[in-house]
PDB file of all heavy atoms in Angstrom:
ATOM      1  N   ALA A1220      94.759  95.282 103.045  1.00  0.00           N
ATOM      2  CA  ALA A1220      93.610  95.848 102.464  1.00  0.00           C
ATOM      3  C   ALA A1220      92.994  94.856 101.495  1.00  0.00           C
ATOM      4  O   ALA A1220      93.689  93.990 100.935  1.00  0.00           O
ATOM      5  CB  ALA A1220      94.040  97.119 101.650  1.00  0.00           C
ATOM      6  N   TYR A1221      91.640  94.909 101.289  1.00  0.00           N
ATOM      7  CA  TYR A1221      90.948  93.951 100.567  1.00  0.00           C
ATOM      8  C   TYR A1221      90.381  94.598  99.261  1.00  0.00           C
ATOM      9  O   TYR A1221      89.553  95.524  99.307  1.00  0.00           O
ATOM     10  CB  TYR A1221      89.783  93.427 101.350  1.00  0.00           C
ATOM     11  CG  TYR A1221      90.175  92.512 102.487  1.00  0.00           C
ATOM     12  CD1 TYR A1221      90.679  93.089 103.704  1.00  0.00           C
ATOM     13  CD2 TYR A1221      90.007  91.155 102.443  1.00  0.00           C
ATOM     14  CE1 TYR A1221      91.078  92.325 104.706  1.00  0.00           C
ATOM     15  CE2 TYR A1221      90.420  90.314 103.514  1.00  0.00           C
ATOM     16  CZ  TYR A1221      90.930  90.944 104.650  1.00  0.00           C
ATOM     17  OH  TYR A1221      91.293  90.087 105.708  1.00  0.00           O
ATOM     18  N   GLN A1222      90.831  94.126  98.104  1.00  0.00           N
ATOM     19  CA  GLN A1222      90.326  94.620  96.769  1.00  0.00           C
ATOM     20  C   GLN A1222      89.474  93.570  96.248  1.00  0.00           C
ATOM     21  O   GLN A1222      89.913  92.447  95.956  1.00  0.00           O
ATOM     22  CB  GLN A1222      91.451  95.058  95.869  1.00  0.00           C
ATOM     23  CG  GLN A1222      90.883  95.701  94.585  1.00  0.00           C
ATOM     24  CD  GLN A1222      91.955  96.329  93.737  1.00  0.00           C
ATOM     25  OE1 GLN A1222      93.106  95.857  93.700  1.00  0.00           O
ATOM     26  NE2 GLN A1222      91.608  97.361  92.990  1.00  0.00           N
ATOM     27  N   PRO A1223      88.167  93.918  95.932  1.00  0.00           N
ATOM     28  CA  PRO A1223      87.281  92.943  95.403  1.00  0.00           C
ATOM     29  C   PRO A1223      87.672  92.427  93.986  1.00  0.00           C
ATOM     30  O   PRO A1223      88.125  93.241  93.171  1.00  0.00           O
ATOM     31  CB  PRO A1223      85.921  93.606  95.372  1.00  0.00           C
ATOM     32  CG  PRO A1223      86.228  95.073  95.361  1.00  0.00           C
ATOM     33  CD  PRO A1223      87.548  95.198  96.121  1.00  0.00           C
ATOM     34  N   ILE A1224      87.377  91.143  93.703  1.00  0.00           N
ATOM     35  CA  ILE A1224      87.439  90.612  92.362  1.00  0.00           C
ATOM     36  C   ILE A1224      86.077  90.157  91.957  1.00  0.00           C
ATOM     37  O   ILE A1224      85.441  89.445  92.680  1.00  0.00           O
ATOM     38  CB  ILE A1224      88.435  89.403  92.398  1.00  0.00           C
ATOM     39  CG1 ILE A1224      89.885  89.889  92.666  1.00  0.00           C
ATOM     40  CG2 ILE A1224      88.400  88.593  91.073  1.00  0.00           C
ATOM     41  CD1 ILE A1224      90.871  88.845  92.940  1.00  0.00           C
ATOM     42  N   ILE A1225      85.619  90.753  90.876  1.00  0.00           N
ATOM     43  CA  ILE A1225      84.208  90.706  90.459  1.00  0.00           C
ATOM     44  C   ILE A1225      83.966  89.721  89.337  1.00  0.00           C
ATOM     45  O   ILE A1225      84.721  89.724  88.336  1.00  0.00           O
ATOM     46  CB  ILE A1225      83.649  92.144  90.109  1.00  0.00           C
ATOM     47  CG1 ILE A1225      84.068  93.142  91.191  1.00  0.00           C
ATOM     48  CG2 ILE A1225      82.215  92.116  89.847  1.00  0.00           C
ATOM     49  CD1 ILE A1225      83.513  92.883  92.527  1.00  0.00           C
ATOM     50  N   CYS A1226      82.871  88.935  89.362  1.00  0.00           N
ATOM     51  CA  CYS A1226      82.456  88.085  88.305  1.00  0.00           C
ATOM     52  C   CYS A1226      82.032  88.961  87.136  1.00  0.00           C
ATOM     53  O   CYS A1226      81.183  89.891  87.305  1.00  0.00           O
ATOM     54  CB  CYS A1226      81.381  87.131  88.745  1.00  0.00           C
ATOM     55  SG  CYS A1226      80.722  86.127  87.363  1.00  0.00           S
ATOM     56  N   ALA A1227      82.537  88.722  85.924  1.00  0.00           N
ATOM     57  CA  ALA A1227      82.230  89.612  84.793  1.00  0.00           C
ATOM     58  C   ALA A1227      80.861  89.282  84.197  1.00  0.00           C
ATOM     59  O   ALA A1227      80.475  89.979  83.278  1.00  0.00           O
ATOM     60  CB  ALA A1227      83.331  89.395  83.718  1.00  0.00           C
ATOM     61  N   ARG A1228      80.177  88.280  84.707  1.00  0.00           N
ATOM     62  CA  ARG A1228      78.829  87.983  84.222  1.00  0.00           C
ATOM     63  C   ARG A1228      77.750  88.484  85.180  1.00  0.00           C
ATOM     64  O   ARG A1228      76.704  89.001  84.749  1.00  0.00           O
ATOM     65  CB  ARG A1228      78.618  86.500  83.942  1.00  0.00           C
ATOM     66  CG  ARG A1228      79.505  85.980  82.813  1.00  0.00           C
ATOM     67  CD  ARG A1228      79.033  84.600  82.277  1.00  0.00           C
ATOM     68  NE  ARG A1228      77.632  84.655  81.775  1.00  0.00           N
ATOM     69  CZ  ARG A1228      77.361  85.000  80.516  1.00  0.00           C
ATOM     70  NH1 ARG A1228      78.329  85.363  79.688  1.00  0.00           N
ATOM     71  NH2 ARG A1228      76.099  85.000  80.216  1.00  0.00           N
ATOM     72  N   THR A1229      77.979  88.245  86.514  1.00  0.00           N
ATOM     73  CA  THR A1229      76.888  88.588  87.455  1.00  0.00           C
ATOM     74  C   THR A1229      77.146  89.879  88.216  1.00  0.00           C
ATOM     75  O   THR A1229      76.219  90.376  88.823  1.00  0.00           O
ATOM     76  CB  THR A1229      76.804  87.444  88.437  1.00  0.00           C
ATOM     77  OG1 THR A1229      78.017  87.396  89.240  1.00  0.00           O
ATOM     78  CG2 THR A1229      76.583  86.073  87.766  1.00  0.00           C
ATOM     79  N   GLY A1230      78.437  90.330  88.227  1.00  0.00           N
ATOM     80  CA  GLY A1230      78.759  91.509  89.026  1.00  0.00           C
ATOM     81  C   GLY A1230      78.868  91.225  90.489  1.00  0.00           C
ATOM     82  O   GLY A1230      79.049  92.124  91.326  1.00  0.00           O
ATOM     83  N   GLU A1231      78.846  89.936  90.889  1.00  0.00           N
ATOM     84  CA  GLU A1231      79.036  89.535  92.277  1.00  0.00           C
ATOM     85  C   GLU A1231      80.471  89.416  92.620  1.00  0.00           C
ATOM     86  O   GLU A1231      81.345  89.150  91.777  1.00  0.00           O
ATOM     87  CB  GLU A1231      78.315  88.195  92.585  1.00  0.00           C
ATOM     88  CG  GLU A1231      76.820  88.267  92.295  1.00  0.00           C
ATOM     89  CD  GLU A1231      76.058  89.220  93.202  1.00  0.00           C
ATOM     90  OE1 GLU A1231      76.559  89.458  94.353  1.00  0.00           O
ATOM     91  OE2 GLU A1231      74.980  89.695  92.829  1.00  0.00           O
ATOM     92  N   VAL A1232      80.796  89.547  93.920  1.00  0.00           N
ATOM     93  CA  VAL A1232      82.174  89.396  94.391  1.00  0.00           C
ATOM     94  C   VAL A1232      82.608  87.916  94.368  1.00  0.00           C
ATOM     95  O   VAL A1232      81.902  87.126  95.023  1.00  0.00           O
ATOM     96  CB  VAL A1232      82.354  89.980  95.854  1.00  0.00           C
ATOM     97  CG1 VAL A1232      83.742  89.694  96.397  1.00  0.00           C
ATOM     98  CG2 VAL A1232      82.110  91.484  95.846  1.00  0.00           C
ATOM     99  N   ARG A1233      83.622  87.614  93.723  1.00  0.00           N
ATOM    100  CA  ARG A1233      84.200  86.256  93.722  1.00  0.00           C
ATOM    101  C   ARG A1233      85.161  86.067  94.782  1.00  0.00           C
ATOM    102  O   ARG A1233      85.214  84.999  95.465  1.00  0.00           O
ATOM    103  CB  ARG A1233      84.883  85.948  92.328  1.00  0.00           C
ATOM    104  CG  ARG A1233      85.739  84.674  92.283  1.00  0.00           C
ATOM    105  CD  ARG A1233      84.850  83.425  92.397  1.00  0.00           C
ATOM    106  NE  ARG A1233      85.644  82.268  92.061  1.00  0.00           N
ATOM    107  CZ  ARG A1233      85.215  81.037  92.172  1.00  0.00           C
ATOM    108  NH1 ARG A1233      84.015  80.835  92.681  1.00  0.00           N
ATOM    109  NH2 ARG A1233      85.936  80.012  91.854  1.00  0.00           N
ATOM    110  N   GLY A1234      85.982  87.091  95.114  1.00  0.00           N
ATOM    111  CA  GLY A1234      86.921  87.020  96.139  1.00  0.00           C
ATOM    112  C   GLY A1234      87.585  88.390  96.334  1.00  0.00           C
ATOM    113  O   GLY A1234      87.160  89.414  95.795  1.00  0.00           O
ATOM    114  N   TYR A1235      88.643  88.375  97.069  1.00  0.00           N
ATOM    115  CA  TYR A1235      89.456  89.631  97.404  1.00  0.00           C
ATOM    116  C   TYR A1235      90.907  89.304  97.305  1.00  0.00           C
ATOM    117  O   TYR A1235      91.368  88.269  97.688  1.00  0.00           O
ATOM    118  CB  TYR A1235      89.177  90.182  98.813  1.00  0.00           C
ATOM    119  CG  TYR A1235      87.735  90.521  99.054  1.00  0.00           C
ATOM    120  CD1 TYR A1235      86.755  89.583  99.448  1.00  0.00           C
ATOM    121  CD2 TYR A1235      87.305  91.885  98.768  1.00  0.00           C
ATOM    122  CE1 TYR A1235      85.444  90.074  99.675  1.00  0.00           C
ATOM    123  CE2 TYR A1235      85.985  92.242  98.941  1.00  0.00           C
ATOM    124  CZ  TYR A1235      85.028  91.359  99.407  1.00  0.00           C
ATOM    125  OH  TYR A1235      83.744  91.682  99.595  1.00  0.00           O
TER     126      TYR A1235
END
Side-chain angles (χ1 to χ4, degrees):
Y1221 290 75
Q1222 185 169 30
I1224 292 170
I1225 310 300
C1226 176
R1228 293 195 63 83
T1229 67
E1231 300 295 333
V1232 173
R1233 169 67 168 171
Y1235 296 89

